[in-house]
Amino acid sequence: MNQLDLHSDATISALFQAWASAGRWLLGYSGGLDSTVLLNLCTRAQRLLRDAQLPAPQLQAVHVDHQLSPNHKHWVTHCEEQCRALSVPLIIKTSDVISQGEGLEAAAREARYGIFQNLLQQQDDVLMLGHHQDDQGETLLYRLMRGCGVHGAAAIPAQRALEQGLLARPLLNLPREQIQRYASSYGLAFIEDESNVDLQFDRNFLRQEVLPLLRQRWPSANRTLARFAGLAKEQQQLAHDMAGVDYAAVSTKDARFGQCLAIDKTLALPSHRRNNLYHFLLNALGIETSARVKITEIDAFAHSASAGKQLDAGHYSLRIHQGRLFFIDAQALTGLPRIRQPRGWQFEQHTDGVAGEIQLVETGSDVHPTPQGIRRQRYLLGQRMPNAVARVNGNGKSLKKLLQELGIPAWLRDLVPVLYADIDNASSAPNYQVAAIPGYLVCDDYKDAQGPRLEWQCKDANALESADLA
């Protein structure tokens, strides 16, 4: 494919055919060589579709001004002029790049992709980026030098899901030399980022020093590296499929807390499959490599089977409870519950620190609420109170003991919403009377067989279900 004739209309149509039915092409446009050629090719592909009287995607360019170069304002002006000449709408976004130890390049990339993600609003949006075959080899070498496994060696994918839409790289199989020749033949104007020659950046060192030396010795080095990345991608998919099989065998789900792993079943797997499973889960949860806890630490934590401890992994926290390993999103343990209630219901809410979503469900629903209906009256909704008491199956007990008996993990007991009887001057009463714990039970004095039932689950409890586990 590296010998494609980019002057041919048939070649251009074939190059963009996979994304021809998109509603919008959003092009990451830095003003440099690669994105300038891609912009030109996109306008040609769009025109060919219209000439064939076929629907053509809307084309918009996006320039992210990181404000890192003294020439950044000139770059903005250049992009505006080029897009105006092509009648392509241009979106300009400014970002403040703050490195928190991952390096300036990585921080800028994260900021840029964050902007792109926010702009991908529809399922038929496609983000076009100008990565080419040389970039593939550069990325592979960079990751190998950082000690990556087969997952990292797969390097740059030609296409992947991103937010609501897709990220596509139409030029990925083309060498930079061919892209340069195309720009010269069409007289395309582009800018040169002066930081590209700064060898303090690892990627620049690979691009300027290492890859040229490799090509002197092995002229087909770029194609060979790209081929290796393709083979690694196949191995990555095989590992992904195997992890999916193991995940189905060892995962367990409590509808209120989300996904978790049965520790005994997990530890029964061979170590290489456990490591593959942990890697799979971290990817599914969107934990970035820079924030990724070591796989060996997760395995040691699972072996410890020590309740009450936690292991942080990015914005997730690993917890152990009753023989299960939970991957808990810290953000899921914050925020107020969202109440969906039938008419006639009244709640006085004292919900600071309560997590999740409460839904009142009419009897007969196919969800998993409390097994008993609840009487319609006014209730106080809040979190665990120190003097709360409950009457269940004729027995009085403290709310603390009740939560323990229900098997609610210790880290959730202060976050589980509780309905209290709305007695007069409740705040000064010696004991709060528990009426119900949504999703678990209704206390004796508040049951109504004909009443609606209450469902509760942590916010984002189903994050793993909606992740790419297929």
Side-chain angles (χ1 to χ4, degrees), residues 32-54:
L33 168 67
D34 310 333
S35 61
T36 297
V37 168
L38 183 58
L39 176 61
N40 179 275
L41 293 173
C42 282
T43 59
R44 286 181 59 191
Q46 186 186 51
R47 184 177 66 251
L48 289 170
L49 287 168
R50 289 172 177 166
D51 290 346
Q53 298 184 340
L54 295 172

Side-chain angles (χ1 to χ4, degrees), residues 7-19:
H7 301 286
S8 164
D9 288 346
T11 298
I12 301 305
S13 296
L15 194 62
F16 289 88
Q17 183 178 10
W19 310 288

Side-chain angles (χ1 to χ4, degrees), residues 19 135 155 205 244-245 350 355 450:
W19 310 288
D135 294 322
F205 176 74
V245 172
H350 292 268
Q450 302 305 313

Side-chain angles (χ1 to χ4, degrees), residues 118-262:
N118 290 335
L119 292 172
L120 291 172
Q121 299 297 325
Q122 304 296 328
Q123 289 186 345
D124 60 352
D125 281 349
V126 177
L127 172 66
M128 299 281 190
L129 296 181
H131 296 99
H132 47 70
Q133 192 179 80
D134 294 43
D135 294 322
Q136 184 75 288
E138 173 190 312
T139 299
L140 172 57
L141 290 176
Y142 176 72
R143 292 184 179 178
L144 289 174
M145 290 301 99
R146 298 185 68 186
C148 74
V150 66
H151 301 273
I156 305 175
Q159 175 179 295
R160 68 176 176 89
L162 182 65
E163 200 59 32
Q164 297 295 318
L166 288 175
L167 186 160
R169 298 180 172 94
L171 309 182
L172 193 59
N173 289 322
L174 300 177
R176 188 174 193 272
E177 180 186 6
Q178 185 174 6
I179 292 171
Q180 287 176 312
R181 289 200 306 268
Y182 181 90
S184 297
S185 65
Y186 279 83
L188 301 182
F190 55 90
I191 58 177
E192 291 283 0
D193 183 349
E194 70 281 352
S195 70
N196 285 339
V197 297
D198 187 345
L199 298 185
Q200 71 169 318
F201 296 116
D202 292 339
R203 288 183 176 272
N204 288 347
F205 176 74
L206 289 169
R207 186 183 308 126
Q208 303 291 341
E209 300 289 332
V210 177
L211 280 167
L213 190 61
L214 288 176
R215 285 191 293 265
Q216 285 181 21
R217 179 77 178 190
W218 297 283
S220 61
N222 284 341
R223 290 194 299 275
T224 301
L225 290 170
R227 185 167 63 251
F228 177 82
L231 294 172
K233 179 66 176 177
E234 292 181 3
Q235 295 301 312
Q236 179 193 32
Q237 186 61 52
L238 180 61
H240 184 281
D241 294 347
M242 189 69 250
V245 172
D246 287 338
Y247 177 78
V250 306
S251 65
T252 179
K253 183 176 188 299
D254 184 311
R256 305 168 187 88
F257 310 141
Q259 303 282 354
C260 55
L261 305 181

Side-chain angles (χ1 to χ4, degrees), residues 87-118:
S87 299
V88 174
L90 174 64
I91 301 170
I92 298 174
K93 295 289 185 179
T94 301
S95 75
D96 295 317
V97 179
I98 302 175
S99 175
Q100 299 184 359
E102 74 274 37
L104 200 60
E105 284 182 301
R109 180 185 182 280
E110 184 176 352
R112 190 163 59 249
Y113 274 76
I115 289 172
F116 291 152
Q117 285 180 264
N118 290 335

Side-chain angles (χ1 to χ4, degrees), residues 304-361:
S304 74
S306 178
K309 293 185 178 180
Q310 69 184 69
L311 176 66
D312 293 329
H315 59 282
Y316 275 78
S317 179
L318 279 65
R319 311 285 184 102
I320 291 175
H321 178 69
Q322 295 184 343
R324 293 177 293 174
L325 177 63
F326 289 83
F327 288 71
I328 303 297
D329 186 345
Q331 296 175 352
L333 301 184
T334 60
L336 303 181
R338 298 187 296 276
I339 308 297
R340 303 176 187 173
Q341 59 192 61
R343 288 184 179 181
W345 280 75
Q346 292 181 315
F347 293 94
E348 181 180 350
Q349 297 185 50
H350 292 268
T351 54
D352 287 347
V354 176
E357 174 176 309
I358 296 174
Q359 183 175 0
L360 304 182
V361 185

